[in-house]
Amino acid sequence: MLDNIINQIESYNSNADLSVVVKAYNYAEMAHSNAQTRYSGERYFVHPYNVALILADLNVDLQTIAAGFLHDVVEDTGITYDDIKREFGEEIANMVDGVTKLSKVKYRNKEERQAESLRKMIVAMSKDIRVVIIKLADRLHNIRTLQYMPKEKQYQKAMETIEIYAPIANRLGMASIKWELEDLSLKYIDPEGYEDLQKKVKEKSEKRKDYISHIIETISSRLKESGMEAEIKGRPKSLYSIYKKMYHKNRTFEQIYDLIAVRIIVSSIRDCYGALGLVHTLWKPVPGRFKDYVAMPKPNMYQSIHTTVIGPDGEPFEIQIRTLDMHRTAEYGIAAHWKYKEGINEDTNYEEKLNWLRQMLEWQQDTKDPQEFMEALKIDLYTDEVFVFTPKGEVINLPAGSTPIDFAYRVHSAVGNRCVGAKINGRIVPIDTKLKTGDQVEILTSQSSSGPSRDWLKIAASNQAKSKIRKFFKERDKEFNVEKGRELVEREIKKQGYLVSDFLKDEWIKTVAEKYNMYTAENLFAAVGSGNITDSQIVNRLKVIYLEKNKNKIDLENIEKQLTSPAPRTPKRVQSHTSGVIIKGIDNVKVRISKCCNPIPGDAIVGYITRGRGVSVHRADCTNIHDLSDTNGQRFIEVEWDTKEDATFLSEIQIKVLDRPRFLQELTALYVEAKLNAVSLNLRINKEKIAIVDIGFEINDIKQIEDLMKKISKIDGVLEVYRNKK
């Protein structure tokens, strides 16, 4: 196995000292040599080996390949960061640490875990971009072997790849990785659509084979006559890009013409423009479909000339013209301009290529809410761009929809803070004017400016500008925000029925502040006052600590006020609609099953004594347990299921399934066969053509619903099945 990687390394670095790669290979194989296996049944080492092989195919340096072998040993074995550092040095250890997921840290939900893992990766890749290249290789091999994972995980991993990792690959200019990530993910997001599209593309490509060959021969002949050497070939469009055009632009497959682009690779930039001129003499260009990324490269380093022409049969097709170096950059992005390779020119503008990453790092530090962070990250990765000029002719790229405010803050924070107006192409314009590619922008500033307006947050389109505006107000108003934040938190504590003195303990505040990377109470309250964190978020975290500290203390006096009679010595079963639950040590109490989590026999449960409504029964893992806020009534009591009592309970499940005919018939047949009574059903279809079915059943115990869920998960097209909380 190791020979394959060594041969690949020697193909681009014949003088390489391979000792660190060999050592990492042996070290990782030994570390993963226990009974650990993948879902496929293969030994786990197959995964890090393939990650290292992908990295070698990208022609990266030896340290990165070594880190590829080692990237999972800290997470999945007993080996620590210090062990890696001692054996391989700090450089490789830091790369491994950057890729390692935050598996040992407890988070409240999946979104928070995902957001914090990505935060860590962004910080790590800002220090060493090789971290994210390893992560992309890791994700690529996982997607290649996704068929072995459970169906619900297949869909989840595929969506995460489409939303996060493919756009990151695009930002790094790694087109070959991006295309494969997208196409393989589509296979699991919409399997039927993928198969259908793959079949249609193959059929149409076969029919157009002679047509494309004729075009290539025509171009090749004309270039030879002009004395230009070139490599010309057809490039099939990725399935996902066709899929996006069909569904997002509401086109049929027959309306997609550019299934194959013709790519011309020449020896120099001069020949790029020479080839362009020759192509335009052969066929007429389509107006508005010409893009010169050679003179004005994309931020991800991509360079190429794109032109769409009307072909011999009146059908449009795209031609891309680039040099061999540009082609390598287009395929492998940042890995093609490797800073760490021997002999690389130190004068390259490598550092400038990572400006977008530093900008992302800036705003993510000010975005503490996991959901807000994930949404902003997706927007930043997906956004289209405009290219505008400074008065000196320098090119600045900004997100589509940007205004002079975004431009000002991209130039410098001080320019943005002192901005009082703007000129576009020499004319004074309103500050909310949308910029277009090719505009020349000049910012008008004043030393006497009082700073930005809060309304600018609604006008700015870039996360970088918004982050710097928020930072201005946060610094200017910190003292005011500290007081305001403390007041808001105290008010929320009282609103939820607690004493301020019970919650605002120095040690507890410090714990919550560290959770938000604030570290001091002053910073935490200032963040609440400025609106970066809500008062309810802080109080809910304090409430978790409070409940954990007081979970065994029950206020007997409060219980007596709420219960209608003294507690008997022996437990008594509750009758009527509350049948099926025993309150330990208490009789004649009104009991109700909580609708927020719908516990059923077999679930671990806990009782909560409400004010005037008796005891509500929750699942032990119900998220609302930590958010109960009845005035002075935060008391829990032991309860258990009465297995001798024949009671009926409502259980609701949610099913995510590819929208297809006859699914409901198959579902109905299953629960009829199981002799279950369905009492509610709701079906909706989202924009990804996924049907979401909520269906409620009357059951007697948890085994009935678990058996049904197992059978439903085996129905063709079902992606996920789980019990609803509501």
Side-chain angles (χ1 to χ4, degrees):
M1 287 172 69
L2 181 58
D3 288 343
N4 293 334
I5 291 180
I6 289 175
N7 291 338
Q8 179 58 27
I9 293 171
E10 288 179 341
S11 72
Y12 65 88
N13 190 353
S14 56
N15 299 320
D17 179 0
L18 298 169
S19 57
V20 69
V21 172
V22 174
K23 182 179 179 181
Y25 173 92
N26 293 326
Y27 193 91
E29 187 175 37
M30 180 194 68
H32 293 294
S33 63
N34 53 18
Q36 192 180 16
T37 58
R38 306 194 82 218
Y39 280 105
S40 63
E42 297 173 303
R43 61 193 186 114
Y44 191 84
F45 180 67
V46 168
H47 172 63
Y49 167 79
N50 276 282
V51 170
L53 185 58
I54 291 168
L55 292 168
D57 287 339
L58 292 172
N59 296 4
V60 299
D61 64 308
L62 303 182
Q63 287 74 18
T64 307
I65 295 171
F69 278 124
L70 302 167
H71 78 275
D72 271 341
V73 296
V74 173
E75 183 178 343
D76 295 330
T77 73
I79 292 168
T80 66
Y81 167 84
D82 290 333
D83 294 332
I84 300 291
K85 183 178 177 181
R86 184 170 54 253
E87 290 292 329
F88 295 92
E90 188 173 6
E91 182 183 4
I92 291 175
N94 286 341
M95 280 193 274
V96 172
D97 183 59
V99 180
T100 301
K101 300 185 194 109
L102 305 181
S103 55
K104 296 180 181 178
V105 182
K106 294 182 180 178
Y107 296 112
R108 290 184 300 171
N109 52 49
K110 181 181 71 179
E111 289 76 17
E112 188 170 317
R113 174 182 293 278
Q114 186 186 46
E116 291 302 322
S117 294
L118 283 163
R119 279 185 202 274
K120 182 180 182 186
M121 189 173 73
I122 287 169
V123 171
M125 64 197 254
S126 70
K127 297 175 183 175
D128 190 339
I129 196 66
R130 292 175 291 181
V131 168
V132 78
I133 295 177
I134 299 168
K135 185 65 182 176
L136 289 172
D138 171 50
R139 177 52 61 112
L140 180 57
H141 183 249
N142 282 331
I143 287 290
R144 284 175 177 174
T145 55
L146 200 57
Q147 72 268 28
Y148 299 110
M149 294 190 81
K151 255 185 179 174
E152 64 274 11
K153 285 198 173 184
Q154 288 178 352
Y155 179 77
Q156 176 193 330
K157 291 287 184 187
M159 285 301 296
E160 185 181 66
T161 302
I162 284 284
E163 292 180 341
I164 302 296
Y165 292 98
I168 286 178
N170 181 54
R171 276 292 195 148
L172 294 176
M174 302 171 75
S176 60
I177 302 292
K178 169 186 176 281
W179 292 333
E180 189 173 356
L181 288 174
E182 288 178 338
D183 283 1
L184 291 176
S185 296
L186 178 61
K187 185 177 179 181
Y188 298 97
I189 292 170
D190 185 355
E192 289 183 6
Y194 175 86
E195 294 294 336
D196 182 55
L197 189 57
Q198 193 178 43
K199 182 181 176 183
K200 286 179 177 176
V201 168
K202 187 176 180 182
E203 288 174 357
K204 192 165 183 178
S205 295
E206 286 295 325
K207 291 177 184 176
R208 287 168 56 87
K209 199 171 184 181
D210 292 339
Y211 177 72
I212 294 297
S213 296
H214 172 65
I215 287 171
I216 291 173
E217 286 172 13
T218 302
I219 297 172
S220 180
S221 174
R222 183 60 65 90
L223 289 175
K224 282 180 183 176
E225 289 175 11
S226 302
M228 274 188 274
E229 291 184 7
E231 180 186 356
I232 307 170
K233 54 188 176 183
R235 178 193 66 81
K237 202 170 185 71
S238 74
L239 292 179
Y240 184 69
S241 63
I242 299 169
Y243 182 88
K244 275 202 305 183
K245 276 192 176 181
M246 289 172 63
Y247 285 92
H248 294 183
K249 296 186 179 180
N250 200 26
R251 295 182 185 176
T252 64
F253 178 77
E254 288 68 28
Q255 291 173 310
I256 308 292
Y257 295 108
D258 53 342
L259 295 180
I260 296 179
V262 174
R263 183 173 291 153
I264 304 172
I265 300 174
V266 295
S267 58
S268 69
I269 292 177
R270 186 182 68 176
D271 285 351
C272 286
Y273 293 101
L276 175 68
L278 286 174
V279 166
H280 283 179
T281 63
L282 289 169
W283 302 287
K284 287 186 177 181
V286 177
R289 295 298 303 273
F290 170 75
K291 294 176 183 175
D292 187 350
Y293 295 118
V294 172
M296 201 177 294
K298 288 186 177 183
N300 65 4
M301 302 174 290
Y302 179 86
Q303 285 185 288
S304 191
I305 293 173
H306 292 194
T307 184
T308 300
V309 296
I310 303 298
D313 296 338
E315 195 174 293
F317 66 94
E318 185 182 65
I319 293 179
Q320 300 172 355
I321 308 169
R322 61 180 67 153
T323 66
L324 189 58
D325 284 344
M326 291 175 191
H327 177 63
R328 175 159 175 74
T329 299
E331 294 294 304
Y332 302 113
I334 202 148
H337 287 263
W338 200 244
K339 184 180 181 181
Y340 302 88
K341 286 184 184 175
E342 288 184 71
I344 193 164
N345 187 349
E346 293 297 327
D347 294 331
T348 61
N349 57 349
Y350 171 89
E351 296 298 332
E352 292 178 19
K353 307 296 186 185
L354 300 181
N355 279 340
W356 67 272
L357 178 56
R358 293 183 179 81
Q359 291 154 16
M360 189 186 294
L361 184 63
E362 282 181 20
W363 61 256
Q364 70 88 23
Q365 290 170 340
D366 292 326
T367 309
K368 303 302 177 184
D369 179 72
Q371 188 173 358
E372 183 185 344
F373 171 71
M374 290 302 295
E375 287 306 310
L377 178 63
K378 290 174 189 176
I379 290 168
D380 189 83
L381 291 174
Y382 271 114
T383 186
D384 290 328
E385 289 165 319
V386 295
F387 298 86
V388 295
F389 296 93
T390 68
K392 294 182 179 179
E394 296 171 355
V395 179
I396 288 184
N397 65 290
L398 294 165
S402 288
T403 66
I405 292 171
D406 298 283
F407 180 91
Y409 279 102
R410 178 61 59 85
V411 173
H412 197 278
S413 297
V415 175
N417 291 339
R418 294 200 299 269
C419 173
V420 293
K423 287 183 179 181
I424 296 180
N425 303 324
R427 297 175 59 188
I428 293 178
V429 297
I431 207 158
D432 61 352
T433 302
K434 297 285 190 292
L435 301 178
K436 302 188 296 294
T437 293
D439 283 343
Q440 186 181 66
V441 186
E442 180 184 351
I443 299 300
L444 307 176
T445 61
S446 171
Q447 292 294 337
S448 60
S449 170
S450 60
S453 162
R454 291 188 188 274
D455 290 338
W456 288 9
L457 289 169
K458 299 174 185 176
I459 298 171
S462 64
N463 286 304
Q464 181 197 19
K466 290 178 181 179
S467 173
K468 289 182 176 179
I469 294 167
R470 290 192 192 101
K471 186 177 181 181
F472 172 86
F473 286 109
K474 184 170 71 173
E475 291 174 353
R476 191 188 72 176
D477 302 336
K478 186 170 184 180
E479 188 175 335
F480 169 79
N481 285 334
V482 169
E483 291 302 316
K484 180 182 175 183
R486 179 181 284 275
E487 183 182 324
L488 288 170
V489 169
E490 289 180 356
R491 187 186 303 166
E492 181 66 16
I493 292 170
K494 293 173 184 175
K495 179 183 172 184
Q496 295 197 23
Y498 297 93
L499 296 174
V500 172
S501 58
D502 284 347
F503 270 40
L504 295 190
K505 300 181 186 297
D506 291 344
E507 184 181 345
W508 295 6
I509 291 291
K510 184 182 178 184
T511 299
V512 175
E514 287 176 352
K515 182 69 178 174
Y516 287 99
N517 299 320
M518 298 290 181
Y519 305 107
T520 68
E522 186 181 62
N523 289 341
L524 186 67
F525 289 131
V528 175
S530 63
N532 287 333
I533 307 174
T534 66
D535 47 10
S536 59
Q537 283 178 292
I538 303 304
V539 174
N540 286 339
R541 286 192 180 275
L542 289 169
K543 193 189 303 179
V544 171
I545 301 173
Y546 175 84
L547 291 174
E548 286 176 352
K549 300 287 185 185
N550 296 277
K551 62 184 176 182
N552 295 321
K553 298 177 183 178
I554 298 178
D555 186 349
L556 296 178
E557 184 179 337
N558 189 43
I559 293 175
E560 288 173 3
K561 288 180 183 176
Q562 297 184 59
L563 306 182
T564 56
S565 63
R569 292 180 183 177
T570 58
K572 186 172 180 179
R573 293 171 179 83
V574 183
Q575 302 301 319
S576 71
H577 64 286
T578 58
S579 176
V581 177
I582 298 174
I583 310 293
K584 289 192 175 181
I586 300 174
D587 186 23
N588 197 22
V589 183
K590 182 179 179 182
V591 178
R592 62 187 178 87
I593 301 298
S594 175
K595 291 182 180 179
C596 66
C597 54
N598 283 330
I600 56 178
D603 288 330
I605 52 175
V606 64
Y608 170 69
I609 302 170
T610 67
R611 180 171 288 279
R613 292 180 294 157
V615 175
S616 64
V617 179
H618 294 259
R619 276 165 48 183
D621 61 354
C622 177
T623 55
N624 285 341
I625 285 177
H626 295 311
D627 294 325
L628 295 170
S629 55
D630 291 297
T631 305
N632 297 323
Q634 293 281 336
R635 296 292 181 266
F636 293 92
I637 192 166
E638 225 177 316
V639 295
E640 64 182 27
W641 294 109
D642 183 357
T643 54
K644 298 178 183 178
E645 200 71 44
D646 185 17
T648 300
F649 297 85
L650 175 66
S651 180
E652 189 175 87
I653 63 174
Q654 184 169 98
I655 307 162
K656 290 185 179 178
V657 58
L658 295 174
D659 183 27
R660 67 173 181 81
R662 296 186 298 281
F663 168 71
L664 285 179
Q665 291 174 253
E666 295 174 38
L667 175 63
T668 303
L670 281 183
Y671 68 73
V672 168
E673 182 186 352
K675 297 181 180 178
L676 288 178
N677 180 35
V679 294
S680 64
L681 187 144
N682 178 53
L683 184 147
R684 59 194 184 279
I685 299 171
N686 65 19
K687 63 183 180 181
E688 281 85 25
K689 304 295 181 184
I690 304 297
I692 301 169
V693 183
D694 295 299
I695 183 167
F697 298 97
E698 287 182 341
I699 63 167
N700 302 111
D701 64 65
I702 197 170
K703 190 174 186 307
Q704 289 176 294
I705 203 69
E706 287 180 343
D707 288 346
L708 179 64
M709 287 167 66
K710 286 179 185 175
K711 291 176 182 177
I712 292 172
S713 68
K714 294 177 182 177
I715 296 178
D716 185 37
V718 170
L719 305 171
E720 291 182 276
V721 187
Y722 50 84
R723 278 176 60 195
N724 255 349
K725 292 182 180 178
K726 296 187 178 180

